[in-house]
């Protein structure tokens, strides 16, 4: 069993004691991504739509660094600050998984890091 830390400057750097992703035995476990600009480390400006797109682009960049892609995602978890944003987030999320979408859970939480509106984590085949 080989454990590999995945890191890329094309996705936001970890803002705490965790790795962007860990690969082990053909699977990739990605830490939750929030709408940070990878270049500045700052939360992007915009509504939940803009934040969701940034989150998904951060995930795409992290997967590319690990040698995999969105097509290989098997499970996602979406964390929302407000479940009233579900339809908006769901529509944008669907653009990234147009066919054979992964299994998914979506939950509303009391608060997210840096008071963002959305966070997404993924488990991926590598």
């Amino acid at each position: 069993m080989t454990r590999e830390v995945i890191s890329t400057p094309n996705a936001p750097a970890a803002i705490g004691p965790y790795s962007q992703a860990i690969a082990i035995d053909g699977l990739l476990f990605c830490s939750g991504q929030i709408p940070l600009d990878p270049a500045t480390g700052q939360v992007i400006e915009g509504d939940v739509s803009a934040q969701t797109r940034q989150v998904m682009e951060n995930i795409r960049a992290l997967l590319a660094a690990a040698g995999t892609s969105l097509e290989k995602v098997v499970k996602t978890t979406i964390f929302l600050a407000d479940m009233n944003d579900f339809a908006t987030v769901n529509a944008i999320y669907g653009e990234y998984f147009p066919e054979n979408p992964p299994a998914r859970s979506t939950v509303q939480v009391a608060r997210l890091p840096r008071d963002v509106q959305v966070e997404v984590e993924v488990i991926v085949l590598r």
Side-chain angles (χ1 to χ4, degrees), residues 24-40:
I24 189 165
D25 289 343
L27 290 174
L28 182 71
F29 297 88
C30 297
S31 293
Q33 294 295 304
I34 61 174
L36 298 179
D37 179 324
T40 66

Side-chain angles (χ1 to χ4, degrees), residues 9 29 36 53 55 63 89 91 93 99 103 106 121 125:
F29 297 88
L36 298 179
R53 287 190 193 287
V55 165
L63 300 186
V89 171
Y93 173 94
E99 295 182 19
T106 304
E121 67 181 22
L125 293 174

